[in-house]
Amino acid sequence: MAPQEPLRLVIVTGGAGYIGSHVVYTLLETRRYRVVSLDNYGNSFPEALVRVSQLAREALPKDATEQDIESTKIEAVSCDLTREDQVRAVFERYGHGAFWGVIHVAALKSVGESSSRPLDYYHTNVGATVSLLKLMEEYGTHRFVYSSSATVYGIPPVIPIPETTPLKAESVYGRTKVMCENILMDLAASNPEQWRLISLRYFNPAGAHPSGRIGEDPRGRPGNLLPLLSQMSVGRLPEGKTLQVFGNDYPTHDGTCVRDYIHVMDLASGHVLALEALASQTDTRAFRAYNLGKGRGQSVLDMVAAMRKASGCEYETVIVGRRLGDVPDLTADPALAEKELGFKAPRELDEMCRDLWNWQSKNPQGYETPEAVATKEE
Ligand code: WQD
């Protein structure tokens, strides 16, 4: 048997979050990486990484090597990315050149909140990214995958949206993502020989790992459509089963906003492909950006129907006014990611809703078990 390649040590920031935990799982599944997660658990739970590691261990083949077993262990560091000293301590501990790459997922992500707390958003999303890149430079790590968002397109002039669309965000949150992409472009131009940077523009992630053991568990009341619908199904929300639909006078097939929902496992696979692309000897571009979407649009009412089918919940809908900052249609053109990364998002809407419901019904209180909740309330 050919000797195994040594494991590549990678940092995943925000590794315990919804997207981060699925990215870490997908990396572990390849048995080619060793993951160090940096997370402040501001909107996530350490338990997620415990479960990711268990799932990866269970997925190992019978003839797994010592190294394979090693690859399922995660170093979970509790760390605030806005604190340079804390992140530096991680780089220092492993030493110069130790990290093969960084996947930077951690960020504040509420569009509404970003307009009332702009400095927190710029500090966390932009300041911490610059600080992380500076440490990478100092410690000799130059491969970087960045979590961007479809929101960088603002109100897109063409649907489906190609990556060549000018970036023009409509919210503070969106502007933090545009700024970081601009920073990455400038960094790439400053030293194209050295840096390998990929920005992944996420459309709307949905679903969960099929085991139902990891999934989306926002702290506080969810602001996004799918966690709202799934928490309604388990009776976790005070408003019962009534969804407020933000506007039905958009120029779409039923008047409600259209989004491109992508299974979080497919989204996660895009990160592994991006890392592989950064290692390519033939493609020497220092910066690239890719849409990660399915290329298909679903309206709010389509999603309500799909979740009703998956969970059996009889939602009620009430039409209210438009939500500030919403755009009628965000549907990706995913052709570039497919062509250059080999990216595909095969999981369909039914599977997204089924996996979301599987997670929510098995974990009605998310990662906080009833026992944990009871202890906290005492
Ligand atoms: C989807 C649709 C709402 C709640 C945002 C960010 C984006 C990304 C994901 C990442 C919209 C409608 C929602 C409700 C509703 N962020 N809706 N009633 O706005 O597409 O994307 O989250 O970190 O960057 O912009 O997602 O799930 O909030 O909304 O009618 O109670 O559901 O108007 O059309 P969105 P969403």
Side-chain angles (χ1 to χ4, degrees), residues 19 107-111 148-152 171 173-174 177 202-205 221-228 232 239 242-247 250 256-261 298-300 303 318 320-323 325-328 330:
I19 293 170
L108 295 175
K109 60 152 207 162
S110 164
V111 174
S148 187
S149 165
T151 196
V152 297
S171 67
Y173 165 73
K177 295 284 160 185
Y202 305 163
F203 283 69
N204 288 53
R221 189 181 185 281
N224 298 115
L225 180 63
L226 284 172
L228 272 172
M232 274 177 190
E239 65 265 46
T242 306
L243 178 81
Q244 295 195 331
V245 176
F246 299 139
Y250 287 98
T256 66
C257 289
V258 166
R259 297 290 179 270
D260 184 339
Y261 296 88
Q298 317 284 348
S299 73
V300 178
M303 295 311 288
V318 7
V320 298
R322 291 182 174 196
R323 183 173 69 176
D326 273 342
V327 302
L330 279 177

